[in-house]
Amino acid sequence: MERAVVLGGSYAGLLAARILSSHAAEVLIVEQDILGGETVGRGAPHRRQLHVLLDMGRVLLERFFPGITEELVRDGAHLGTGSTVKLYIGDVMKIPADNSMISATRPFLEDHIRRRVLALPNVKTLTARAHDLVSSGGRISGVRVSSPGDSPAPATQDTLEADLVVDAMGRSTRLGKWLEQHGWQQAPLDRLKLDLGYATAFFHRGDELPDTVIAQVAPNPSSRSPEAPGNASVALAAVEGKRWAVALTGYATHRPGGDPEQFRDFMRQSVLPLRELAECDMVGGVENSSFKESWRRDFTRLSRFPRGLVVIGDAMASVNPLYGQGLTLAALQASALSAYLQSKPSPHDAAWGYFRRAAAVVNVAWQMATFADLAQPHVTGPYPRGYEVLRRVNEMVTAASISDSRVNQVLMDVLHLRTHPKALTRPTVLLRAAQTLLCHGQSRIGRAG
């Protein structure tokens, strides 16, 4: 193709541009914020919250940008491996699994990826605001843009011709309305209301917790009250700048506020590592965000779709950030785009091959996130078929993973999006989990905690 246009210069858009650089003579990233600045990507207002790059995301990032892990660590990031990554179920710490995670803030990670992408000779940027698609003959042939400071519907717009347009505009995407204006249907939308609140604060990092890079305190899945303190999740990560990033999350009325002292009090009620960090000096204030609902757009359920258009990142699916899947899901979608383009698709067909590949990974993340969310009493469904049975199986496997390394490795591979969730229901895994609980006199996760 001659030119590919990527709408959005945040994480997903940068990965899409990297993939397209191998298939297009020119890749143009259109972003209304300055690409080199801190405020890139208005579709990701939560970018200053604590983010996690799961192991599969790290593997793919290294594949797209060889040597980037070493570069990130050299510049101040940390690599969490083995026992330096700790996961608590209630007050019980699980045994470490064989997964590695890059620990850094999202702006730090994006800045390094952006430098790599913009160094590619055929990738260019345009500071502009996208207003509409250009449609002709059953395909998208370009995008209408204007200066970023213009009104929502400026009188003067420029047209960018394109052989392929990528929607990477995040949760604020306007693609659905644009498609309807050109006679196409919006993709069916699945939604799950959550009412999640989360907050991140940074603390000065000294010699405390020298053997910890990342730690998470997950709520006990047998607790079904959103008011219970144990139902809140706490995470910490050693990040660049000799800082700890600490994130608190809670549902409904048990949501963290923005008061620094309340934030510290919340930490003091958690497990020992968090209690120690509560006395460190806070760097800056508390950053609050909310997440009202998870949703996904299933383009595979459409009967017709224009050629020359694909969607990636939060513009396609946005799930509960508590599980840290967002960055890795974007990388998996970029990998799906790469596989699709390498299959040498016909320019006369819509990108069904990409959408099928992307849906496969989105459906896994959606299944895992919504399954866990449905355990909350204020989340009212819809519940999938066999939910109660699967919930009990999940509790059994989670309980067994605390003391059985093989069960724990399978569970961690699933949570890190390296393995399909069906691995948890394999007879060998279920049998080993049941035997482990019998040996320890445990019948449910509540006793384990």
Side-chain angles (χ1 to χ4, degrees):
M1 66 186 84
E2 288 300 316
R3 177 193 279 172
V5 173
V6 179
L7 303 179
S10 192
Y11 192 83
L14 293 171
L15 297 188
R18 163 61 189 88
I19 297 302
L20 289 167
S21 69
S22 300
H23 300 274
E26 179 188 8
V27 180
L28 184 61
I29 303 174
V30 177
E31 170 60 56
Q32 61 182 323
D33 297 318
I34 300 173
L35 290 178
E38 284 275 329
T39 58
V40 168
R42 295 181 188 180
H46 56 285
R47 65 195 306 267
R48 300 192 67 83
Q49 296 289 338
L50 173 62
H51 280 69
V52 172
L53 184 64
L54 301 177
D55 193 25
M56 191 64 207
R58 179 195 60 80
V59 170
L60 290 173
L61 207 61
E62 189 67 29
R63 184 181 303 169
F64 301 152
F65 308 99
I68 195 167
T69 301
E70 181 180 352
E71 177 184 324
L72 290 165
V73 172
R74 183 190 66 223
D75 291 348
H78 296 262
L79 185 64
T81 60
S83 61
T84 65
V85 179
K86 297 175 171 61
L87 175 61
Y88 296 81
I89 303 296
D91 293 327
V92 180
M93 188 176 76
K94 289 164 56 69
I95 53 179
D98 185 19
N99 288 291
S100 299
M101 304 168 68
I102 297 173
S103 184
T105 64
R106 175 166 172 172
F108 177 90
L109 184 61
E110 276 189 2
D111 286 346
H112 282 74
I113 294 173
R114 185 175 299 110
R115 286 200 293 267
R116 287 284 196 108
V117 171
L118 299 188
L120 297 169
N122 60 337
V123 176
K124 300 178 181 179
T125 64
L126 176 66
T127 304
R129 175 181 170 84
H131 290 277
D132 198 0
L133 302 172
V134 178
S135 177
S136 62
R139 70 180 299 270
I140 302 303
S141 57
V143 184
R144 290 191 173 89
V145 301
S146 70
S147 299
D150 288 350
S151 63
T156 303
Q157 297 183 11
D158 295 324
T159 297
L160 300 175
E161 295 183 355
D163 297 301
L164 180 67
V165 174
V166 180
D167 175 13
M169 294 184 289
R171 289 178 65 92
S172 61
T173 179
R174 302 174 296 282
L175 180 67
K177 293 182 178 179
W178 294 349
L179 287 173
E180 285 187 335
Q181 291 171 3
H182 290 278
W184 302 91
Q185 287 185 324
Q186 293 197 38
L189 181 64
D190 297 318
R191 308 166 76 170
L192 185 69
K193 293 184 179 180
L194 296 178
D195 192 18
L196 174 76
Y198 54 113
T200 295
F202 293 90
F203 294 83
H204 175 75
R205 179 165 53 85
D207 296 330
E208 64 280 340
L209 307 182
D211 60 342
T212 299
V213 173
I214 297 171
Q216 181 179 8
V217 184
N220 188 324
S222 66
S223 171
R224 298 179 62 82
S225 171
E227 301 297 332
N231 203 39
S233 176
V234 187
L236 68 90
V239 299
E240 74 279 0
K242 295 184 177 180
R243 297 175 297 167
W244 291 107
V246 179
L248 311 179
T249 61
Y251 293 96
T253 57
H254 195 70
R255 298 165 60 165
D259 181 77
E261 284 309 309
Q262 290 182 352
F263 195 97
R264 290 181 187 275
D265 288 343
F266 203 111
M267 294 171 63
R268 293 185 182 106
Q269 299 174 36
S270 188
V271 296
L272 184 59
L274 269 297
R275 293 201 293 267
E276 292 186 22
L277 292 193
E279 310 311 319
C280 294
D281 292 333
M282 185 178 289
V283 182
V286 178
E287 187 84 17
N288 278 89
S289 290
S290 61
F291 191 87
K292 295 182 178 180
E293 63 179 11
S294 294
W295 50 255
R296 63 173 172 179
R297 292 183 172 91
D298 190 351
F299 293 86
T300 64
R301 286 153 58 186
L302 292 170
S303 59
R304 55 190 291 270
F305 195 74
R307 304 189 303 274
L309 178 64
V310 298
V311 183
I312 192 172
D314 283 356
M316 178 180 286
S318 179
V319 297
N320 190 337
L322 175 62
Y323 312 117
Q325 297 173 322
L327 299 183
T328 300
L329 183 55
L332 285 164
Q333 290 170 307
S335 182
L337 180 60
S338 177
Y340 166 69
L341 293 174
Q342 290 179 34
S343 70
K344 300 189 182 301
S346 170
H348 303 292
D349 297 329
W352 297 121
Y354 164 73
F355 285 115
R356 285 192 293 268
R357 289 175 171 89
V361 296
V362 166
N363 291 345
V364 167
W366 178 264
Q367 174 187 337
M368 292 170 58
T370 57
F371 183 89
D373 291 332
L374 287 170
Q376 300 295 329
H378 72 287
V379 179
T380 57
Y383 292 86
R385 181 181 302 175
Y387 170 76
E388 281 300 323
V389 173
L390 292 174
R391 183 181 66 82
R392 293 173 184 269
V393 168
N394 180 65
E395 289 186 3
M396 180 181 72
V397 172
T398 301
S401 71
I402 294 175
S403 52
D404 188 286
S405 61
R406 289 172 61 182
V407 174
N408 185 57
Q409 187 63 59
V410 174
L411 178 59
M412 289 298 103
D413 284 345
V414 169
L415 295 179
H416 280 265
L417 299 180
R418 294 177 63 98
T419 303
H420 196 280
K422 64 184 179 183
L424 298 177
T425 58
R426 290 173 184 164
T428 53
V429 175
L430 295 178
L431 179 60
R432 188 175 182 91
Q435 291 174 336
T436 299
L437 295 184
L438 287 173
C439 289
H440 289 79
Q442 301 167 350
S443 61
R444 56 182 295 182
I445 185 66
R447 294 184 185 179

